[in-house]
Amino acid sequence: MEKFVIHGTGPLEGSVRISGAKNAALPIMCATILTKDKITLEDVPELKDVTLLTEVLRGLGVKIEHPEPNTYIFDASEITNTTTGADLMSKMRASFCVMGPLIGRMGRTENSLPGGCAIGTRPIDLHLKGFRALGCSVRTEHGMVCAKTDHLKGSTVYLDFPSVGATENIMMAAVLADGETTIDNAAMEPEIVDLSNFLNKMGAQVRGAGTSTIKIKGVKELHGCRHQIIPDRIEAGTYMVAVAATGGNINIENVITSHMRPVIAKLKEAGVEIYENGDTINVISNGTIESFDIKTLPYPGMPTDMQAQFMALATLAKGTSVIIETVFENRFMHVDELNRMGANIRIDGKNAIVQGVHKLRGGKVRATDLRCGAALVIAALTVDGKTEIEDIYHIERGYENLIEKLEGLGAHVVREG
Ligand code: UD1
């Protein structure tokens, strides 16, 4: 079994460069389906999820070159297939983002229901509501979702919740629709803005991304372009929380600081010193953590993808912290694992009550999902002794060169198995 073996080493020191954002790269890779021209993407993180999505896209007929690390060239001149089966779909929820572009380009798509991290029920009703509004007939049967239209037409879609994936899927279908589409209560995440910027470089007419109302004027066709993926705000936040927990002084390079507002604010509340300088953030911690409360919310609120890491930090805070998860149900699977390391966390519905302890202890734990894995890595870095983290494939879905980056900061992490 593959695992990380981590020996706590005290304060982290040094610099780390943040990779391109996984959650921006995945939908943008799907959007390459929308043109017959070649697309070059730069700063694509080398991650399992990216490799899986290249398999999904190749299965549809997209030719993909990988001339150098982090650069991919997509050629969707011929789409030979509009179906993705359960084998690939079940491995990664983001592969569902091929549906919008396939509807836009081909007027049809058939997909197995998506997989991904087991965090809550994660329905797809909002995606389907959007496709229906654009004139698709949508059927779900035998674990497959089939959407079809002869005439994709602009429309108004109200999202009952600002779903990131639904906003992206509807945007990608609507760029080639006849007429104007409005998405109300759209997600405002930076990854939506990156997708919008990319689509507009291809010749689309998308306005308002980053606000709760997105307007898309359909165009006849899109063309090729080159695009650099934005830095990963969750990866940056994870390293910031890690140094807060271990103590130390690190520079986080290649960040868009405006994307980091909730993380910066919360770390300052916890007593961490943070200095912003262009695209670098300097984080200094003496390892003493004040307790803090967190409520996850859609952007610009605290990202749910940072909840587990902040919980790892709260386990070592002076006093009691309350963490409320409002975005996903059942996103507390890291609690049992952190408690196994000596944390004192109690769940009450959507709330986790974290009573800080002086020290965590090592042992064997399991990454139950991607951000749980990140939280366990942070916890392990603070332990006097050895921690073994199993099921690390979850962690490798989302963190590029994690071992090299942590070693560059002075940590001792070995991958075994
Ligand atoms: C994306 C991110 C994920 C992040 C999440 C929330 C990617 C590849 N993944 O996931 O890392 O944790 O945003 O910031 O970008 N919902 C519905 N119906 C739907 C769709 C969603 O009820 O049709 C609900 C979900 O169950 C969940 C909430 O909306 O409770 C948020 O989900 P959503 O924003 O869609 O997350 P994803 O796009 O799956």
Side-chain angles (χ1 to χ4, degrees):
M1 162 132 22
E2 293 163 337
K3 60 186 176 193
F4 286 158
V5 180
I6 301 183
H7 289 270
T9 38
L12 297 178
E13 306 280 341
S15 297
V16 58
R17 185 184 186 278
I18 297 307
S19 300
K22 167 179 92 74
N23 288 351
L26 297 175
I28 288 175
M29 287 169 69
C30 293
T32 64
I33 292 172
L34 288 162
T35 178
K36 293 183 172 174
D37 294 351
K38 282 193 177 178
I39 300 277
T40 303
L41 297 182
E42 294 165 351
D43 257 352
V44 177
E46 300 291 350
L47 296 171
K48 288 240 168 82
D49 271 9
V50 165
T51 311
L52 271 174
L53 188 58
T54 60
E55 282 175 44
V56 171
L57 293 171
R58 284 199 174 101
L60 302 174
V62 181
K63 296 185 199 76
I64 303 174
E65 290 168 53
H66 189 17
E68 55 182 285
N70 306 110
T71 300
Y72 288 75
I73 302 169
F74 299 82
D75 173 357
S77 49
E78 280 176 272
I79 296 296
T80 52
N81 176 26
T82 52
T83 304
T84 304
D87 47 337
L88 285 171
M89 270 297 176
S90 60
K91 290 186 187 147
M92 187 183 49
R93 182 177 166 88
S95 35
F96 202 65
C97 268
V98 297
M99 281 197 88
L102 282 171
I103 290 169
R105 169 98 179 256
M106 309 296 287
R108 64 179 299 157
T109 174
E110 308 80 30
N111 292 275
S112 180
L113 285 164
C117 280
I119 44 173
T121 48
R122 303 188 90 171
I124 51 162
D125 54 313
L126 300 173
H127 301 240
L128 304 187
K129 174 175 166 175
F131 298 151
R132 286 197 178 99
L134 296 175
C136 287
S137 69
V138 180
R139 283 180 301 118
T140 52
E141 51 191 23
H142 310 303
M144 293 291 284
V145 190
C146 308
K148 201 170 170 220
T149 179
D150 295 331
H151 182 207
L152 198 61
K153 56 178 193 322
S155 180
T156 297
V157 186
Y158 169 76
L159 296 181
D160 303 81
F161 184 89
S163 154
V164 174
T167 303
E168 291 166 345
N169 241 339
I170 298 165
M171 276 166 76
M172 291 189 283
V175 284
L176 290 176
D178 192 7
E180 187 167 284
T181 298
T182 302
I183 310 176
D184 284 323
N185 200 27
M188 303 194 285
E189 270 68 2
E191 294 75 21
I192 306 276
V193 179
D194 204 29
L195 175 63
S196 158
N197 289 341
F198 171 71
L199 292 169
N200 287 342
K201 273 189 201 168
M202 293 171 88
Q205 294 194 23
V206 183
R207 301 286 169 265
T211 76
S212 60
T213 303
I214 299 179
K215 288 194 183 290
I216 304 142
K217 214 180 263 177
V219 297
K220 284 267 172 298
E221 60 179 14
L222 297 173
H223 52 73
C225 70
R226 174 180 280 270
H227 184 76
Q228 185 181 8
I229 304 294
I230 55 167
D232 195 316
R233 64 197 165 99
I234 306 301
E235 189 198 14
T238 301
Y239 287 104
M240 291 169 74
V241 173
V243 69
T246 61
N249 181 343
I250 70 173
N251 281 320
I252 318 257
E253 296 170 354
N254 189 38
V255 275
I256 299 176
T257 52
S258 61
H259 295 171
M260 305 305 302
R261 289 286 153 244
V263 172
I264 290 174
K266 203 47 71 177
L267 285 175
K268 283 185 174 169
E269 270 180 46
V272 178
E273 285 176 61
I274 297 185
Y275 303 97
E276 298 172 35
N277 182 9
D279 68 354
T280 299
I281 298 181
N282 176 222
V283 187
I284 304 174
S285 162
N286 61 12
T288 305
I289 306 300
E290 304 298 333
S291 59
F292 54 86
D293 295 336
I294 276 187
K295 186 176 188 177
T296 66
L297 288 169
Y299 192 83
M302 174 61 75
T304 173
D305 286 351
M306 284 302 303
Q307 183 252 105
Q309 300 89 313
F310 270 107
M311 194 180 297
L313 182 65
T315 64
L316 293 164
K318 287 193 287 176
T320 306
S321 305
V322 177
I323 297 182
I324 309 176
E325 172 60 56
T326 76
V327 177
F328 285 108
E329 294 163 36
N330 189 24
R331 199 174 197 176
F332 281 142
M333 284 177 306
H334 39 283
V335 167
D336 282 350
E337 303 301 313
L338 289 169
N339 280 345
R340 207 160 282 162
M341 295 179 73
N344 180 354
I345 310 167
R346 190 166 51 82
I347 300 294
D348 180 8
K350 290 180 167 183
N351 307 337
I353 297 102
V354 188
Q355 179 66 54
V357 296
H358 180 59
K359 266 283 174 201
L360 296 174
R361 58 173 181 267
K364 274 195 185 145
V365 284
R366 196 166 69 83
T368 56
D369 63 76
L370 168 56
R371 305 306 168 185
C372 165
L376 295 178
V377 169
I378 292 170
L381 290 170
T382 70
V383 165
D384 293 329
K386 182 168 108 172
T387 307
E388 293 184 17
I389 305 178
E390 295 178 343
D391 288 354
I392 54 170
Y393 60 91
H394 285 296
I395 306 177
E396 295 179 337
R397 283 186 43 216
Y399 290 89
E400 189 181 46
N401 299 331
L402 179 74
I403 293 187
E404 293 80 353
K405 289 185 183 188
L406 284 173
E407 278 182 343
L409 298 173
H412 285 316
V413 184
V414 180
R415 188 183 194 285
E416 287 183 2

